[in-house]
Amino acid sequence: MPALPRRQRRRLLLITLVLGLALFAWQLGTTGLVDETPPLFAASARAMAETGDWLIPRVNGLPRYDKPPLVYWLMGLVYALPGQEQWNPLGTWAARFPSALAAIGVMLALADTLLRWPQPPFQAASTAAPAAAPADASPPATERPGLTALTAALAFGLSPLALAWGRTAVSDSLFSGLVALALLLCWQAYADPGRPWWLPWPVLGLAVLAKGPVAVVLLGLTLLLFGWLQADIAGLWRRLRPLRGLALTALVAAPWYLLALYSEGQPFWDSFFGYHNLQRFTEVVNRHLQPWWFFVPVMLVASLPVSPLLLVGLARAIGPLRRSWCPTWPQPPAASLARFAACWLLAVLLFFTAAATKLPSYWLPATPAAALLIALAAQTGWSVDGGEAGGRPWERWAWGLSLLLVSGLGLAFLAAPLWLPLIQDPEMPTLATELRGSPLVPVVAACWLLAALLGWITRRLRPPLRLLALQLPLVLFVPAALLPLWSVGDRLRGEPVRRMAAALQREGRPGEPVAMVGVLKPSLHYYSRRVVIYEGIGVEGPLNLADRLRRERRVGQRPSTPEDQPTVLVVIDQTTARAPFWRHLGASELDSAGVYRLWRLDRRRLEDSVAMLRLKGFAPDWQDPRPERY
């Protein structure tokens, strides 16, 4: 089917842009940074803008080697704009800008791809392979490709994973968006001989600058799976010219890596390549041990509430395999997007399942592929009552199960007064009480129940209108309920840390060191603009603090004796403050907020306490390798 007229495409892309802005840009800077990792990204980017050192990210007086610089550069460009105190007082607009930009970009890229190359509805699978279609054959016509494009964009934008990371100041959303754009451009070059072959490869280079060489692995694995299943590896190779393409990728990405190696040497090599890439893949780091099947439930949760449609789309896109595991049959390139999306999703699933360290965010690169499969499954002509041709019972059940999931979630939120008292968060002890007295939870329930109602009312309409009818109330749910709930959490969890940061600026003496013990919040460093020594809740904490004050050197923190600096400011949570090795130090409490207390400790008293701990056999361990230390 030919692409939609340009005017219609522009109108639909404008609608997609408005929806993306509502989901990812609305009230982007009204809440503070979410601990633990986002403040580290934000502080590094702000330091780049303020110091003019754009080569190596640095935070809390130390170099930060965990991610390449692209996300820091984009954040830093916004931090370099004047008037931050007026329009970006919490720092989050600048820090979240790359993530939101990438998420909106993925929505537009998905919609544009389906508008330019409308896909045929899935055909009923047969056990025998049909005769191979000519490579230049046009796909069968599909109904309402504009609606399918909108549902694909919303299937991505409403994914719980995309919503969370699209508003978080880390590199995952940017990396996933660039990988998605590179893969979509690869498929477009394969589907349309008129498209430039080289476009995906510089974008892949940017993805390597966003998170590392894993971008090349994911793209390569996707193309290998697709070429095998499509039985056209040679055609894919001819169209994409991967050797020349990888040279373009290296031309974009390699200069920074070479400069970083030249500047930092072995520490950069060991941290970035050794720990954050090789070791994360081969060993479990930071106790992120998960079973091998971890990403199967993550995949289902990430596509809620239409996860059953994802399974239908994945099954129909792969199709039946012939004996001896040979490919099914080649599809016309312009009609192969569903198959390509299935290979994309499987590549992410296989690679990160093989990795020893597993995190939910690792699934984010697969969410655009899942959105394509959901939208293409929803456009197939079948109804819940079986009245339309081409449907199978399990496919009709998938839509019915999706509606039941939406209804169940709406009813669960309606029954929130029954389960809200079960929420016990020591950092937000009043959360359950505030939510019980708030109208926000009923608003959440109303949005989900409205989506369920519209889904049931429209279940007999021609696809994909019924999926769009279900999605639109969930778009309303984000600004009407989800963002206000996020603000409640920020007020209870984040604002006390910001108040402690303000107290540090107000109470701190010239050169007086700062520490945080117990609950460790990097946002304290970000908002106070002070180097902070972070120590945990163990009995070694006082030992480490005393020893680090005497010996540790970093930018903004010089070693000192109690005679040089007789006091230290300590931010401590109320639980840790009751521990005997902190409670008896005779601290002066200067301020409090939420669960936090601001103490001024006499270092001589600290040293006396540490001497007693040493006599009991305890020793400092702060010099043991801890790559994630703030």
Side-chain angles (χ1 to χ4, degrees):
M1 182 178 179
L4 270 66
R6 180 174 297 180
R7 178 176 297 181
Q8 190 174 352
R9 290 204 309 269
R10 288 178 177 173
R11 183 167 63 249
L12 289 166
L13 288 176
L14 180 60
I15 294 173
T16 303
L17 175 62
V18 171
L19 292 171
L21 291 172
L23 292 174
F24 295 104
W26 180 254
Q27 295 185 343
L28 190 64
T30 57
T31 56
L33 293 166
V34 180
D35 287 293
E36 309 293 332
T37 307
L40 302 176
F41 279 90
S44 301
R46 187 179 64 187
M48 280 185 167
E50 292 177 350
T51 65
D53 179 7
W54 296 86
L55 180 62
I56 301 297
R58 302 182 188 277
V59 62
N60 203 22
L62 296 173
R64 178 168 165 79
Y65 298 136
D66 71 324
K67 297 294 183 293
L70 184 60
V71 69
Y72 301 109
W73 289 345
L74 293 175
M75 293 178 182
L77 288 174
V78 185
Y79 276 120
L81 298 176
Q84 295 280 324
E85 293 298 325
Q86 285 70 43
W87 60 271
N88 189 33
L90 297 177
T92 45
W93 204 100
R96 293 171 181 165
F97 168 73
S99 297
L101 179 67
I104 296 170
V106 170
M107 292 182 66
L108 291 170
L110 292 173
D112 184 63
T113 300
L114 286 168
L115 291 172
R116 290 176 180 270
W117 294 274
Q119 297 298 294
F122 287 123
Q123 302 299 310
S126 62
T127 57
D136 59 349
S138 297
T142 182
E143 296 177 352
R144 306 187 182 185
L147 292 180
T148 299
L150 284 177
T151 57
L154 287 176
F156 169 78
L158 292 171
S159 163
L161 244 63
L163 275 174
W165 270 271
R167 286 180 163 268
T168 304
V170 293
S171 61
D172 297 87
S173 181
L174 178 64
F175 168 74
S176 301
L178 290 169
V179 169
L181 182 57
L183 284 167
L184 288 172
L185 289 171
C186 282
W187 180 83
Q188 292 174 15
Y190 173 70
D192 185 353
R195 299 285 291 177
W197 66 270
W198 56 268
L199 280 177
W201 303 105
V203 177
L204 181 63
L206 293 177
V208 174
L209 280 177
K211 204 166 184 178
V214 65
V216 178
V217 177
L218 292 179
L219 183 135
L221 187 55
T222 300
L223 294 181
L224 283 175
L225 286 173
F226 178 66
W228 172 75
L229 198 58
Q230 182 72 354
D232 193 20
I233 291 180
L236 201 59
W237 184 279
R238 286 194 302 271
R239 284 295 303 132
L240 295 178
R241 306 178 192 181
L243 295 181
R244 296 183 186 180
L246 288 173
L248 290 175
T249 298
L251 191 63
V252 171
W256 178 82
Y257 286 91
L258 295 175
L259 288 171
L261 278 171
Y262 177 78
S263 171
E264 303 296 304
Q266 193 69 30
F268 172 76
W269 179 270
D270 292 342
S271 179
F272 180 78
F273 291 103
Y275 176 77
H276 288 288
N277 284 271
L278 181 61
Q279 191 174 343
R280 279 179 178 267
F281 188 81
T282 58
E283 302 177 23
V284 177
V285 302
N286 292 339
R287 299 183 297 276
H288 295 307
L289 175 64
Q290 304 293 346
W292 66 266
W293 43 263
F294 173 71
F295 287 109
V296 174
V298 171
M299 173 180 69
L300 298 178
V301 171
S303 296
L304 284 175
V306 289
S307 307
L309 290 180
L310 169 61
L311 299 179
V312 169
L314 182 60
R316 301 205 69 169
I318 296 174
L321 297 177
R322 295 204 304 256
R323 286 184 304 172
S324 73
W325 296 95
C326 293
T328 52
W329 58 84
Q331 291 178 333
S336 63
L337 183 58
R339 178 172 286 176
F340 184 83
C343 295
W344 174 354
L345 183 144
L346 290 175
V348 177
L349 178 64
L350 292 172
F351 179 77
F352 287 115
T353 295
T357 301
K358 296 177 175 65
L359 287 169
S361 60
Y362 291 177
W363 185 251
L364 199 59
T367 50
L372 285 170
L373 293 171
I374 289 167
L376 294 175
Q379 78 170 358
T380 301
W382 45 264
S383 67
V384 293
D385 59 5
E388 296 180 55
R392 290 185 171 190
W394 57 276
E395 294 164 342
R396 298 192 294 273
W397 295 342
W399 178 251
L401 183 57
S402 297
L403 295 180
L404 287 176
L405 281 172
V406 179
S407 305
L409 288 169
L411 292 174
F413 288 121
L414 197 62
L418 300 178
W419 51 262
L420 277 176
L422 301 177
I423 299 177
Q424 300 292 331
D425 189 326
E427 294 185 51
M428 298 186 290
T430 63
L431 177 62
T433 302
E434 292 213 16
L435 291 182
R436 280 204 304 269
S438 168
L440 290 177
V441 176
V443 171
V444 173
C447 290
W448 283 82
L449 290 174
L450 177 61
L453 178 63
L454 291 179
W456 286 108
I457 290 174
T458 61
R459 68 189 188 279
R460 290 185 173 84
L461 295 182
R462 300 179 69 83
L465 187 59
R466 53 191 167 202
L467 177 58
L468 186 63
L470 183 145
Q471 290 173 325
L472 289 178
L474 300 184
V475 174
L476 178 65
F477 153 74
V478 173
L482 182 61
L483 297 184
L485 286 171
W486 193 317
S487 296
V488 172
D490 175 70
R491 175 168 52 81
L492 297 177
R493 190 185 185 103
E495 187 175 337
V497 182
R498 296 195 291 273
R499 288 172 58 186
M500 287 290 96
L504 286 176
Q505 293 177 322
R506 182 177 64 250
E507 301 288 347
R509 298 166 179 169
E512 187 175 27
V514 175
M516 187 176 199
V517 298
V519 180
L520 308 182
K521 299 294 184 181
S523 58
L524 183 71
H525 159 68
Y526 177 85
Y527 286 111
S528 68
R529 294 177 172 266
R530 299 285 300 272
V531 171
V532 180
I533 297 173
Y534 289 94
E535 280 300 332
I537 62 175
V539 68
E540 297 85 2
L543 285 158
N544 286 334
L545 178 58
D547 202 49
R548 292 174 71 178
L549 289 171
R550 280 184 172 273
R551 301 172 57 193
E552 186 176 18
R553 183 182 300 275
R554 61 174 77 187
V555 177
Q557 175 77 44
R558 63 178 181 85
S560 65
T561 64
E563 291 70 31
D564 299 328
Q565 291 291 341
T567 59
V568 56
L569 289 175
V570 175
V571 177
I572 189 168
D573 67 279
Q574 59 188 14
T575 301
T576 307
R578 290 193 290 266
F581 42 86
W582 291 109
R583 187 175 66 238
H584 300 306
L585 291 178
S588 301
E589 185 169 311
L590 305 179
D591 204 348
S592 64
V595 299
Y596 303 103
R597 306 290 181 265
L598 177 60
W599 286 358
R600 175 167 278 127
L601 279 182
D602 186 306
R603 287 182 60 185
R604 293 180 183 86
R605 186 102 177 237
L606 175 64
E607 295 275 358
D608 293 340
S609 177
V610 163
M612 297 297 294
L613 290 173
R614 288 180 185 273
L615 290 175
K616 294 179 180 179
F618 295 102
D621 62 358
W622 66 274
Q623 288 185 301
D624 294 344
R626 288 186 288 175
E628 297 295 337
R629 186 176 61 207
Y630 306 146

